[in-house]
Amino acid sequence: MMRNWPLARSITAAIGAVAAAAVGVVTNLVTASWSWVLAVALVGLVLAGAVLAALSAGGTNSVAGRTVVTQDARGGAIVGSVVEAADGATVAERVGRRGEIQDVHTTAKNAEVRRAARKGKIRGGKISAE
C-alpha cells in the first residue's frame, strides 16, 4: 500500500489518466476492426486503470487505516466522556473496579490515545492528538 506521499499519489493519478486514454483508443480500435489481441489489450488496460485507481485511493489516510474506539469499564465508570476519532485513529479507555473517567473530551486523527484509570479518577480536560 502506498504511504501518504503526495508525489507518489500524483504520479499514480497521472499514469491512471494515461491508462484511461489508452482504454479509449483501444476501444475505438476494437469497434472499428475487432480482434482478440485488441480485446485482450482492452481488458488489460481496464484492469491496470482499476489497480492504479485503487493505489491512489489507498494513499489517503481515510482509506488506509481503520478507526477504532474502545471503552472498557470493568466495575468502574466512564461518564460523559466524548471521543471523536477519524483517519485510522485508535482511542482506548479502560477503567478498573474503583476507577472513573468523567467529562474528558478526546479528539484523535491518525493517532493513538490510551487512557486507563484502575483505582484513581480522571476528570475533565481535553486531549487532541494528530
Side-chain angles (χ1 to χ4, degrees), residues 84-100:
E84 297 177 54
D87 292 341
T90 300
V91 178
E93 294 182 323
R94 174 175 256 176
V95 179
R97 279 189 289 172
R98 292 183 299 244
E100 181 179 303

Side-chain angles (χ1 to χ4, degrees), residues 51-89:
V51 168
L52 290 168
L55 286 175
S56 64
T60 62
N61 288 335
S62 62
V63 175
R66 182 176 10 164
T67 301
V68 179
V69 176
T70 58
Q71 292 181 313
D72 186 8
R74 297 179 179 198
I78 299 175
V79 181
S81 179
V82 177
V83 175
E84 297 177 54
D87 292 341

Side-chain angles (χ1 to χ4, degrees), residues 114-130:
R114 297 192 183 277
R115 180 173 31 246
R118 290 188 172 84
K119 294 181 181 178
K121 297 179 181 181
I122 299 172
R123 288 196 177 153
K126 181 174 183 172
I127 296 174
S128 296
E130 285 194 42

Side-chain angles (χ1 to χ4, degrees), residues 3-115:
R3 301 281 183 222
N4 190 12
W5 298 330
L7 180 60
R9 283 198 324 244
S10 298
I11 291 170
T12 304
I15 294 170
V18 171
V23 167
V25 169
V26 173
T27 301
N28 283 339
L29 291 173
V30 167
T31 56
S33 60
W34 189 90
S35 73
W36 282 105
V37 174
L38 289 175
V40 170
L42 178 61
V43 170
L45 287 169
V46 169
L47 290 175
V51 168
L52 290 168
L55 286 175
S56 64
T60 62
N61 288 335
S62 62
V63 175
R66 182 176 10 164
T67 301
V68 179
V69 176
T70 58
Q71 292 181 313
D72 186 8
R74 297 179 179 198
I78 299 175
V79 181
S81 179
V82 177
V83 175
E84 297 177 54
D87 292 341
T90 300
V91 178
E93 294 182 323
R94 174 175 256 176
V95 179
R97 279 189 289 172
R98 292 183 299 244
E100 181 179 303
I101 296 175
Q102 181 178 1
D103 298 327
V104 178
H105 187 121
T106 302
T107 305
K109 181 177 180 183
N110 196 21
E112 183 173 332
V113 178
R114 297 192 183 277
R115 180 173 31 246

